[in-house]
């Protein structure tokens, strides 16, 4: 009898291990399929730039094309597909913006006490809260949770992108020895000129007037060729921008900036997603709200965990910040995000968040 019990225990243990093995393998494969397309496209961009297939000018023009036109089209189409304002998930938007503000104030405390160079304060500060949501976050949301993930992420970006611009200008202006004279006007101009915000605004206008058009839609009308052209342009955005991002990688000497880069990489890739996901997973339960769906978690995770925003480099350059440090933070957060995004995605898949 004792032998039978021992054998039964061993067999049960074996099947439990098999079950756990399948669970972990599923999480691993899920993470690979979500993150590796982003890595491969970035690596391809790095390869074609360094073997001379594309020039530095192509990279600059491609980046400008994606930012000014392709992402604008993508944001417009994504918002246009929503049936009405009732579909906007305000709870997700609120928590997304709340976490960004929490990270902003955590970063503010750090740079006040631990960063001495005024030109580096605003640059390092942005690493705490500002992610590359357009280039990395949106396609990551799509890879994790498909079309629904992309829709939620686009809605979040409609509100997070303006906040990023406002906070970015504040970060670089507050400690800048050459402060902007008309800060509020400057912030408003940056928001109005942002193509992502313009695309969202056009989509929102269409949602606003839709109830008064008797169901008329560009996508089903005789002018749907216009919709299809805009849609095709928007589909280019996330994938071409990843190739362009990879082509921008420059691994220059980092010895003199190693401390600042290390802090920024840790803040952007480990602190931000850890703090952000802890808040969105546990706080709703504590205050009696319904938990988020998988698609909502995917969009929020992509917002918190993506590497540094590309725009942070040009903004630092334009506002008398340390643009060299900003460029290094951009490169190294992008490089290390290949590992952190993979590990975080696998972990959240394993515990059933995605």
């Amino acid at each position: 009898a004792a032998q039978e019990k021992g054998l039964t225990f061993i067999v049960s243990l074996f099947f439990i291990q098999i079950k756990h093995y399948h669970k972990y393998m599923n999480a691993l494969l899920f993470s690979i399929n979500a993150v590796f397309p982003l890595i491969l496209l970035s690596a391809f961009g790095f390869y074609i730039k360094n073997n001379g297939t594309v020039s530095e000018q192509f990279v600059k023009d491609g980046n400008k094309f994606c930012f000014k036109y392709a992402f604008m089209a993508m944001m417009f189409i994504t918002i246009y597909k929503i049936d009405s304002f009732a579909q906007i998930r305000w709870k997700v938007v609120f928590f997304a913006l709340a976490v960004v503000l929490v990270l902003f104030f955590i970063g503010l405390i750090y740079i006040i006490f631990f960063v001495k160079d005024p030109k580096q304060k605003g640059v390092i500060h942005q690493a705490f809260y500002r992610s590359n949501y357009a280039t990395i976050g949106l396609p990551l949301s799509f890879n994790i949770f498909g079309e629904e993930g992309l829709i939620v992420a686009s809605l979040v970006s409609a509100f997070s992108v303006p906040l990023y611009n406002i906070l970015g200008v504040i970060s670089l202006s507050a400690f800048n020895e050459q402060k902007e004279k008309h800060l509020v006007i400057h912030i408003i101009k940056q928001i109005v000129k942002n193509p992502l915000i313009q695309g969202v605004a056009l989509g929102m206008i269409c949602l606003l007037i839709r109830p008064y058009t008797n169901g008329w839609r560009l996508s089903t009308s005789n002018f749907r060729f216009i919709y299809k052209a805009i849609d095709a342009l928007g589909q280019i955005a996330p994938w071409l921008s990843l190739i362009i991002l990879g082509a921008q990688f420059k691994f220059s000497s980092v010895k003199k900036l190693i401390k600042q880069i290390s802090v920024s990489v840790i803040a952007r890739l480990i602190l931000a997603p850890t703090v952000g996901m802890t808040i969105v997973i546990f706080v709703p339960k504590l205050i009696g709200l319904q938990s988020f769906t998988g698609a909502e978690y995917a969009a929020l995770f992509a917002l918190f965990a993506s590497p540094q925003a590309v725009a942070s480099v040009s903004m630092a350059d334009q506002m008398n910040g340390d643009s060299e440090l900003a460029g290094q933070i951009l490169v190294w957060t992008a490089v290390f995000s290949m590992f952190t995004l993979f590990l975080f995605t696998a972990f959240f898949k394993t515990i059933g968040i995605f």
Side-chain angles (χ1 to χ4, degrees), residues 49-64:
K49 173 62 173 60
N50 285 274
N51 73 3
T53 303
V54 299
S55 64
E56 188 70 35
Q57 190 60 45
F58 174 87
V59 175
K60 290 181 180 178
D61 292 340
N63 196 32
K64 187 184 296 184

Side-chain angles (χ1 to χ4, degrees), residues 205-226:
I205 290 171
C206 290
L207 285 186
L208 190 64
I209 65 175
R210 184 171 292 162
Y212 308 101
T213 59
N214 295 322
W216 186 91
R217 293 199 184 198
L218 186 63
S219 55
T220 55
S221 70
N222 292 330
F223 300 99
R224 58 183 174 275
F225 65 89
I226 299 175

Side-chain angles (χ1 to χ4, degrees), residues 106-118:
I106 292 174
L108 183 62
I109 294 170
Y110 177 83
I111 65 167
I112 288 174
F113 290 102
F114 298 104
V115 181
K116 305 301 181 185
D117 189 341

Side-chain angles (χ1 to χ4, degrees), residues 60-78 134 193-200 202 229-238 240-241:
K60 290 181 180 178
D61 292 340
N63 196 32
K64 187 184 296 184
F65 163 78
C66 285
F67 184 67
K68 290 186 69 175
Y69 303 110
F71 274 117
M72 180 181 179
M74 185 185 77
M75 298 305 296
F76 169 75
I77 289 294
T78 305
K193 291 192 299 184
N194 190 296
L196 277 74
I197 298 175
Q198 291 172 353
V200 169
L202 289 172
I230 299 173
D231 188 27
L233 179 60
Q235 289 181 31
I236 295 171
L240 178 58
S241 64

Side-chain angles (χ1 to χ4, degrees), residues 296-348:
E296 292 167 344
Y297 278 129
L300 290 167
F301 167 69
L303 180 72
F304 308 142
S306 296
Q308 182 75 333
V310 176
S312 63
V313 180
S314 58
M315 184 175 283
D317 186 54
Q318 293 169 17
M319 300 186 66
N320 199 38
D322 190 335
S323 57
E324 181 184 7
L325 174 59
Q328 288 298 319
I329 293 172
L330 171 66
V331 168
W332 291 107
T333 54
V335 170
F336 285 107
S337 70
M338 299 176 186
F339 305 100
T340 57
L341 287 176
F342 176 80
L343 293 173
F344 272 117
T345 304
F347 171 73
F348 287 125

